[in-house]
């Protein structure tokens, strides 16, 4: 998931983003009409019908915005809708921040064109920074436009499709400038809890707990690597020792991964390609962004009696606090969850 950002110091970037969004608006079609079109592939019609059902469930049962978002469809003819460029200094795990009037500051910049994204990444790489380019199947305009179901979203399974709709509508409901961890953890909780309730309403068993456990464990391994690198970068050793230490920590991470997978997940290889590819500071930036405070929001949901309206009211109260007080409150909720 990502956010579409509409203002920047570069007029060229602004024009690129405006053109990309206008292309989506120009090519969107009503989901109902696509489903009703005899020429529509039956498999596509089935997936879009599911998206409409999830859209209705979001408003009727999860208290999410009831608007025209996810009632239209866009065939992209490409694997992702945008590509995000993450940049970090060679010896820091702090991201290069990009600040925008609407969305505030975030750790990436998104491009509708992969080639443009990779040219931007190369520009930073030449200067010696660590970069990573990641494709994004869906994004939110925070309610400024009616977001569409995108063909890139249909590459996922049914749970991811429904959950993404819940996630992006949660961004439309509550969004706090300059606090990505808060926003993504909140939307991530709504996605997870909403999906649990959605599956239950359809008579489906709970999601694959074992698969979720593997994802969580791998995320913790990546966060541990980031913490180790942060400690190295703060150590004050000279640049040559820091460069050597950086590669040593990355190789040690690969060794820990192989041992962990062989011992606990011998038949699972979903992260093998990620671990084998080049790893740098920028590639580690997204980890923890979507789930840092999710247990805190789960505790808050419990305190609200699992009532969505009461929960959202409490989340808004947190969002109005200064950031240091907000993080202190969330930390307290984490202790409650533990």
């Amino acid at each position: 998931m990502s956010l579409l950002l509409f203002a920047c110091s570069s007029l060229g970037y602004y024009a690129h983003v405006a053109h990309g969004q206008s292309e989506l608006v120009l090519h969107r079609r009503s989901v109902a009409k696509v489903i009703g079109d005899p020429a529509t592939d039956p498999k596509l019609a089935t997936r879009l019908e599911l998206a409409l059902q999830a859209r209705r469930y979001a408003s009727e049962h999860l208290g999410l915005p009831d608007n025209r978002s996810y009632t239209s469809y866009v065939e992209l003819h490409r694997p992702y809708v945008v590509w995000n460029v993450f940049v970090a200094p060679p010896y820091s795990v702090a991201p290069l921040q990009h600040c925008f009037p609407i969305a505030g500051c975030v750790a990436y910049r998104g491009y509708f064109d992969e080639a443009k994204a990779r040219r931007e990444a190369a520009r930073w790489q030449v200067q010696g920074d660590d970069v990573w380019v990641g494709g994004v199947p869906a994004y939110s305009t925070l309610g400024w436009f009616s977001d569409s179901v995108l063909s890139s979203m249909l590459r996922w399974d049914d749970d991811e499709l429904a959950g993404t709709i819940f996630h992006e509508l949660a961004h439309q409901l509550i969004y706090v400038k300059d606090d990505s961890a808060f926003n993504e953890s909140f939307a991530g909780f709504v996605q997870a809890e909403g999906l649990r309730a959605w599956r239950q309403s359809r008579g489906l068993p709970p999601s694959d707990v074992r698969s979720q456990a593997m994802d969580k464990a791998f995320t913790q391994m990546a966060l541990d690597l980031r913490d180790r690198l942060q400690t190295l970068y703060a150590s004050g050793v000279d640049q040559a020792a820091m460069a050597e230490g950086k590669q040593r920590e990355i190789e040690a991470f690969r060794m820990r991964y192989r041992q962990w997978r062989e011992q606990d997940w011998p038949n699972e290889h979903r992260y093998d390609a990620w671990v084998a590819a080049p790893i740098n500071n920028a590639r580690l930036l997204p980890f923890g962004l979507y789930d840092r405070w999710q247990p805190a929001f789960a505790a808050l949901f419990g305190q609200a009696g699992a009532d969505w309206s009461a929960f959202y009211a409490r989340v808004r109260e947190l969002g109005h606090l200064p950031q240091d007080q907000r993080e202190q409150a969330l930390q307290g909720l984490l202790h409650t969850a533990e």
Side-chain angles (χ1 to χ4, degrees), residues 77-303:
H77 304 291
R78 60 181 188 265
Y80 299 106
V81 62
V82 294
W83 285 262
N84 283 343
V85 179
F86 292 84
V87 181
Y91 303 116
S92 171
V93 292
L96 174 69
Q97 293 279 349
H98 301 276
C99 298
F100 307 87
I102 295 171
C105 298
V106 294
Y108 56 82
R109 195 152 88 157
Y111 292 81
F112 285 93
D113 183 280
E114 183 180 9
K116 285 183 180 292
R118 297 203 177 277
R119 284 196 296 271
E120 173 68 3
R123 184 174 71 85
W124 289 101
Q125 196 167 28
V126 166
Q127 298 178 38
D129 292 300
D130 283 4
V131 300
W132 181 63
V133 179
V136 178
Y139 67 78
S140 173
T141 61
L142 301 180
W144 287 82
F145 291 88
S146 296
D147 297 327
S148 298
V149 178
L150 306 172
S151 57
S152 51
M153 295 165 61
L154 301 183
R155 299 167 60 197
W156 295 325
D157 63 20
D158 290 351
D159 278 2
E160 284 295 326
L161 175 59
T164 297
I165 291 172
F166 303 157
H167 185 109
E168 304 301 352
L169 287 172
H171 279 317
Q172 292 187 20
L173 185 69
I174 299 174
Y175 184 86
V176 178
K177 288 182 69 173
D178 302 330
D179 198 338
S180 294
F182 178 90
N183 295 321
E184 296 300 345
S185 295
F186 161 67
F189 169 76
V190 173
Q191 175 176 351
E193 180 60 25
L195 187 59
R196 185 201 63 76
W198 157 260
R199 288 183 65 87
Q200 186 177 54
S201 74
R202 296 167 68 83
L204 298 173
S207 299
D208 185 354
V209 176
R210 180 172 167 79
S211 178
Q212 292 174 358
M214 184 183 186
D215 293 341
K216 183 176 181 179
F218 181 78
T219 295
Q220 286 304 124
M221 291 184 68
L223 289 173
D224 176 67
L225 171 59
R226 197 166 71 186
D227 289 344
R228 290 168 184 262
L229 289 173
Q230 187 172 21
T231 299
L232 169 67
Y233 300 151
S235 67
V237 298
D238 61 50
Q239 185 168 319
M242 201 167 288
E244 182 181 345
K246 178 180 180 180
Q247 293 309 310
R248 186 169 58 248
E249 288 291 359
I250 291 171
E251 287 308 312
F253 163 78
R254 290 192 170 107
M255 178 67 71
R256 289 193 299 274
Y257 168 79
R258 287 192 292 269
Q259 293 172 345
W260 166 75
R261 187 182 62 71
E262 289 170 7
Q263 177 178 327
D264 297 339
W265 309 92
N267 299 316
E268 290 284 355
H269 300 275
R270 73 182 75 173
Y271 290 112
D272 286 9
W274 193 98
V275 173
I279 298 173
N280 61 26
N281 301 327
R283 198 152 183 248
L284 294 170
L285 292 176
F287 285 94
L289 184 65
Y290 288 85
D291 54 12
R292 177 184 177 188
W293 300 119
Q294 277 197 41
F297 285 112
L300 191 64
F301 187 68
Q303 292 178 7

